[in-house]
Amino acid sequence: MKNACVVVIGHVDHGKTSLVHALTGIETDRLAEEKRRGLSIGNGYAHKSYGTGTIDFIDAPGHEDFIAAMVAGATGARAALLVISATEGVCAQTREHLAIAALLGIKTAVIAVTKSDLLPPDLAANALGGIKRALDNTEFVKMPFVLCSAVTRAGLEALHAELESLLGQALDTSAPLHSFLPIDRVFSIAGRGTVVTGTLLGGRLTVEDTATLLPTDQKISLRGLHCRGEAQEHIQGGTRAAVNLRGISVSDVTRGAVLSVAGDVAATLCMDVALDLLPDQDKPPKHDEELRVLFGTTQEVARIRLFQGGQYAQLRFKRPVVAYAGQRAVLRKLSPPQTIGGAVVLDPQATPARAKDMAHISVLQAVQRSDISQIARALGAARGGVFHIRDLARLARSDQETAQVALGGEFENIGAELMCQFKEVERCKTWIIETLGRYHQHNPLKRAVPRSIFGMNRL
């Protein structure tokens, strides 16, 4: 059976939570404060089984104060259910949620035009036309629109059909290679201990796995797995998961924490990214400006260091964060808070580099082209001819064995998992032999050769 995670987005009070309840029978507003205020504060979770699989719905809050929750909810989502009120049309948060969804790589959506029961049929049709015109400059205007009502249930059958079609969509190829669970909730159950939840990315998670909790780098065994309230032996990527952890307390799980299995995943203070700024920004980020960066369940302040040309940048964080190559992030101004664009992580474990370091920029250009041979050549040029296969695999989004095989005969393993172009190895051999020969020619009685003759800057 197939699974798909769908984030439910839209302006506040346009009926997202009511629609999810009508579709699934599950009430996602469970907090007393949410019920008192009549709006969602955090993400809500529901699911619906169809003949071809199951959809997990993440009901994201619509208010602008909870953008971080919306980004966290969209993590791992394959598509969006955009909810727009027929009586109010496209509003401010509708547009911002759409922009953020696009920045996070969500390219598929179903548009539910709710509260259609509050308008006569002819006015409802006019409202639908107005909504389509308002979205005319976005890719989402090409998506299916469904007039519906959570109260009368009109249009829900058509909406279910469109949602079920999402189960046939191809999986996102930017997912990590291995199990990667950004944690969005943590709590304790009497007799069971600490439980964390999130949308599993990458490979599947099994109860036999030994996981690492990042950024604290703690090794953890899994006590149990649950999906939609039922115990599981394993959970596939792209599915909502609850993981019962052994030997760890709730206070040990910090905001933005990630549960990872295998893979070269580590916490970092520096990431290289390709920028994707919104076209209507009259004030792009300045070099060395502090921005709020949202990705997965992380929201941290980083200083942005722009590389020459402005297409690439380094994000330097104040606290350790965890990301994977290919992950998408949202960039927001600190004051006034405003989404200015996004970024794609090219190197989640970067080292600080200067703005005019053209060799470093060449590596990033090769990474963005996804050409492993070009990445290897650029790495070699940037690092004195020799690079670690681990770095190549991370940048190429591959495992080390596959990366090494893909290089073919152009590169040679020179020990300790270091790689170098074959021609460079031959060039160094020739140079060393010629240097030794010249020394002995001029010093035939010398028994030893001083290391200084090699002038290590030449190697």
Side-chain angles (χ1 to χ4, degrees):
M1 298 292 283
K2 299 177 180 179
N3 296 289
C5 186
V6 174
V7 62
V8 186
I9 58 176
H11 194 80
V12 64
D13 288 335
H14 277 209
K16 295 185 300 297
T17 301
S18 298
L19 182 61
V20 171
H21 182 263
L23 289 170
T24 67
I26 298 173
E27 177 61 64
T28 58
D29 276 353
R30 299 179 180 179
L31 300 176
E33 180 69 5
E34 290 178 319
K35 294 182 181 298
R36 185 183 69 81
R37 296 172 63 179
L39 58 84
S40 300
I41 297 173
N43 290 315
Y45 306 95
H47 61 273
K48 174 66 177 179
S49 294
Y50 295 96
T52 55
T54 302
I55 289 182
D56 291 305
F57 293 95
I58 301 179
D59 180 13
H63 198 282
E64 63 179 346
D65 291 344
F66 307 116
I67 290 295
M70 181 263 164
V71 173
T75 293
R78 186 187 300 178
L81 173 59
L82 173 62
V83 179
I84 303 175
S85 168
T87 59
E88 295 185 38
V90 174
C91 297
Q93 287 310 115
T94 310
R95 297 184 185 280
E96 184 165 24
H97 277 205
L98 279 177
I100 291 174
L103 292 171
L104 292 174
I106 297 176
K107 301 177 182 179
T108 303
V110 176
I111 293 89
V113 181
T114 57
K115 303 186 180 182
S116 61
D117 57 300
L118 300 181
L119 295 175
D122 57 331
L123 292 183
N126 290 337
L128 180 59
I131 290 170
K132 288 183 176 180
R133 286 191 295 274
L135 298 179
D136 195 44
N137 61 340
T138 73
E139 286 296 312
F140 293 92
V141 74
K142 302 174 185 176
M143 306 302 167
F145 286 73
V146 180
L147 271 170
C148 59
S149 168
V151 176
T152 66
R153 304 187 66 83
L156 292 193
E157 186 174 342
L159 186 56
H160 276 302
E162 294 292 350
L163 290 168
E164 185 175 6
S165 71
L166 298 176
L167 292 166
Q169 300 278 336
L171 289 173
D172 183 3
T173 55
S174 66
L177 293 177
H178 305 285
S179 303
F180 189 96
L181 184 78
I183 296 170
D184 53 33
R185 289 190 301 171
V186 55
F187 51 91
S188 181
I189 296 179
R192 300 293 296 175
T194 300
V195 176
V196 297
T197 70
T199 302
L200 179 64
L201 308 178
R204 75 176 190 172
L205 193 63
T206 71
V207 290
E208 292 84 13
D209 288 329
T210 298
T212 303
L213 182 66
L214 296 161
T216 53
D217 204 31
Q218 294 172 266
K219 299 297 181 184
I220 297 174
S221 60
L222 310 185
R223 191 172 183 176
L225 297 173
H226 284 74
C227 179
R228 307 180 193 104
E230 296 184 0
Q232 306 286 339
E233 290 297 314
H234 66 267
I235 293 177
Q236 298 292 343
T239 307
R240 291 288 303 171
V243 186
N244 192 189
L245 307 180
R246 182 178 283 112
I248 190 169
S249 67
V250 170
S251 60
D252 291 329
V253 183
T254 59
R255 186 186 70 190
V258 169
L259 199 66
S260 177
V261 177
D264 185 21
V265 182
T268 185
L269 292 171
C270 182
M271 296 191 304
D272 287 332
V273 300
L275 296 176
D276 181 18
L277 301 179
L278 294 176
D280 58 349
Q281 287 303 308
D282 54 353
K283 292 183 178 179
K286 299 177 182 178
H287 184 73
D288 227 25
E289 181 180 358
E290 286 192 334
L291 299 174
R292 189 169 304 281
V293 186
L294 295 84
F295 57 96
T297 56
T298 296
Q299 51 164 324
E300 291 291 343
V301 173
R303 192 174 296 277
I304 185 169
R305 306 276 295 180
L306 298 170
F307 287 115
Q308 190 174 41
Q311 183 179 359
Y312 305 104
Q314 277 195 335
L315 299 175
R316 299 185 184 178
F317 293 87
K318 297 180 178 180
R319 299 194 301 179
V321 297
V322 185
Y324 61 88
Q327 188 166 14
R328 292 175 177 266
V330 173
L331 307 178
R332 286 174 61 83
K333 292 272 189 179
L334 294 184
S335 181
Q338 178 188 11
T339 300
I340 60 170
V344 179
V345 177
L346 300 180
D347 187 355
Q349 298 167 37
T351 54
R354 301 186 309 275
K356 296 182 180 180
D357 188 338
M358 298 310 297
H360 193 88
I361 295 172
S362 294
V363 173
L364 302 183
Q365 291 172 334
V367 171
Q368 200 166 28
R369 287 192 290 266
S370 302
D371 186 312
I372 192 166
S373 294
Q374 289 187 27
I375 297 172
R377 294 186 201 107
L379 272 177
R383 301 183 182 183
V386 178
F387 59 90
H388 200 292
I389 189 66
R390 177 186 61 242
D391 296 330
L392 175 65
R394 181 180 69 252
L395 295 174
R397 306 179 197 175
S398 170
D399 59 79
Q400 294 187 27
E401 182 178 353
T402 302
Q404 192 161 347
V405 170
L407 291 179
E410 183 182 349
F411 293 84
E412 184 174 343
N413 190 324
I414 59 175
E417 297 185 332
L418 295 175
M419 303 292 293
C420 183
Q421 277 186 293
F422 181 78
K423 66 179 183 181
E424 287 296 310
V425 174
E426 293 303 307
R427 184 188 62 79
C428 286
K429 286 180 181 178
T430 300
W431 179 77
I432 290 171
I433 292 171
E434 290 176 349
T435 302
L436 287 171
R438 284 193 299 270
Y439 181 84
H440 284 298
Q441 185 178 4
H442 292 95
N443 303 277
L445 299 180
K446 294 279 188 179
R447 299 182 61 185
V449 178
R451 189 178 301 173
S452 59
I453 72 158
F454 292 106
M456 298 305 289
N457 63 321
R458 184 69 184 87
L459 284 173

